[in-house]
Amino acid sequence: HGTRQVPGPPRPVRALIERTSNRSRADLLDERTEVSAGRRRFLRGERYRPLPAALLAPARQAFADYVARLPAADREPAEAFEVCDLAFRVAGTGSLGVLRIAVLTRGKARHRGGWIFDLKEEFGRNGARRVLSAQEACLRHPPRMAGTTRLGSRSMLVRRLSPEEDKLDLAHADTADLDALVAYLGALSGSAHRRGASGRAARPWSDGDRSRLLDAAVALAGLHESCYLVFCKLTRSRDLT
């Protein structure tokens, strides 16, 4: 109803914060890049694949267009955005079927200060602007240097990766922590939506509102599970042949 406060972070979240609080940008670079012949580049493998030659020049231009539109608060010397390497990025089920490009730039130092940017295609002609607007409205502290660009007809969301970023692995969470964790994440989501709706006429949710939301969530979960099982079946059939 907008009057409840977000509870303190439960044990799994506190552990995540502690694990990432001392992670530096140099650590992020060492995990994802290497220095070869005096030049830093992405580590090719499961996470980063070679970018098709036809996309190299368009990707560089799309990134340059993004840099040119950065607000004054995010401006840095031009050499900080000098592109050192480009790669096709493989990550997340939400990115399957869309173009995702990793950009490594010089940053603030030759080898230890590089920056990694993520260019992710968003659906719709202005999909990236829609996602960025929602992010800015809902997050108390939106990430710095988030922006948009276009790569041909594709709408691309751009963000600089932060060493503090990480995800909760619920598969390894203690079942005793799940109730507190769900309550905390739900409160965070509600708080974000409340900020995003600021200025609009707000009203408490009715029992019918909550019931419809729960029905929609159940239907969506079933759809995701069905698609995953079909994917597993197709993959298994291909492997057998």
Side-chain angles (χ1 to χ4, degrees):
H1 289 190
T3 59
R4 297 182 180 178
Q5 298 296 317
V6 176
R11 182 169 57 177
V13 176
R14 293 198 303 271
L16 176 67
I17 294 172
E18 182 179 354
R19 185 170 69 247
T20 60
S21 60
N22 295 321
R23 187 182 296 166
S24 67
R25 198 164 295 279
D27 294 330
L28 179 67
L29 285 173
D30 289 342
E31 290 173 2
R32 302 181 182 223
T33 68
E34 64 180 352
V35 177
S36 177
R39 176 174 172 267
R40 188 173 286 278
R41 64 190 297 273
F42 287 113
L43 283 165
R44 296 316 196 256
E46 291 299 316
R47 177 180 282 170
Y48 298 110
R49 305 285 181 83
L51 191 67
L55 285 176
L56 290 174
R60 286 179 176 271
Q61 184 59 56
F63 184 74
D65 293 342
Y66 147 78
V67 172
R69 290 198 296 269
L70 280 174
D74 290 337
R75 291 292 174 85
E76 297 285 354
E79 57 266 23
F81 298 102
E82 178 186 330
V83 176
C84 301
D85 195 19
L86 296 159
F88 181 80
R89 177 81 165 97
V90 180
T93 55
S95 299
L96 292 178
V98 301
L99 179 63
R100 194 164 185 174
I101 298 174
V103 180
L104 175 65
T105 73
R106 182 176 177 181
K108 292 285 188 73
R110 180 173 173 79
H111 290 319
R112 302 295 288 178
W115 294 341
I116 299 176
F117 290 84
D118 182 62
L119 278 68
K120 181 183 177 185
E121 180 184 0
E122 300 292 347
F123 291 112
R125 176 168 178 77
N126 295 310
R129 171 51 56 186
R130 171 178 49 80
V131 173
L132 183 61
S133 295
Q135 186 179 80
E136 291 173 342
C138 293
L139 296 181
R140 189 181 301 276
H141 303 291
R144 185 169 177 252
M145 293 189 184
T148 66
T149 189
R150 300 199 68 82
L151 201 163
S153 62
R154 296 181 173 96
S155 179
M156 309 291 289
L157 181 69
V158 188
R159 67 188 184 96
R160 186 180 67 165
L161 300 191
S162 168
E164 296 85 10
E165 292 181 26
D166 209 334
K167 296 179 180 179
L168 284 169
D169 189 350
L170 297 182
H172 295 91
D174 191 322
T175 55
D177 293 321
L178 292 182
D179 285 348
L181 185 57
V182 169
Y184 177 74
L185 296 179
L188 282 182
S189 298
S191 178
H193 283 284
R194 185 170 64 247
R195 281 193 297 272
S198 61
R200 304 177 186 176
R203 63 173 178 81
W205 282 29
S206 67
D207 290 341
D209 292 333
R210 287 188 285 271
S211 179
R212 284 190 292 273
L213 179 63
L214 181 58
D215 289 344
V218 171
L220 183 61
L223 179 62
H224 276 265
E225 183 69 14
S226 297
C227 292
Y228 175 70
L229 292 176
V230 171
F231 171 76
C232 292
K233 179 182 178 182
L234 293 174
T235 303
R236 184 172 183 273
S237 299
R238 186 188 64 183
D239 290 342
L240 292 175
T241 57

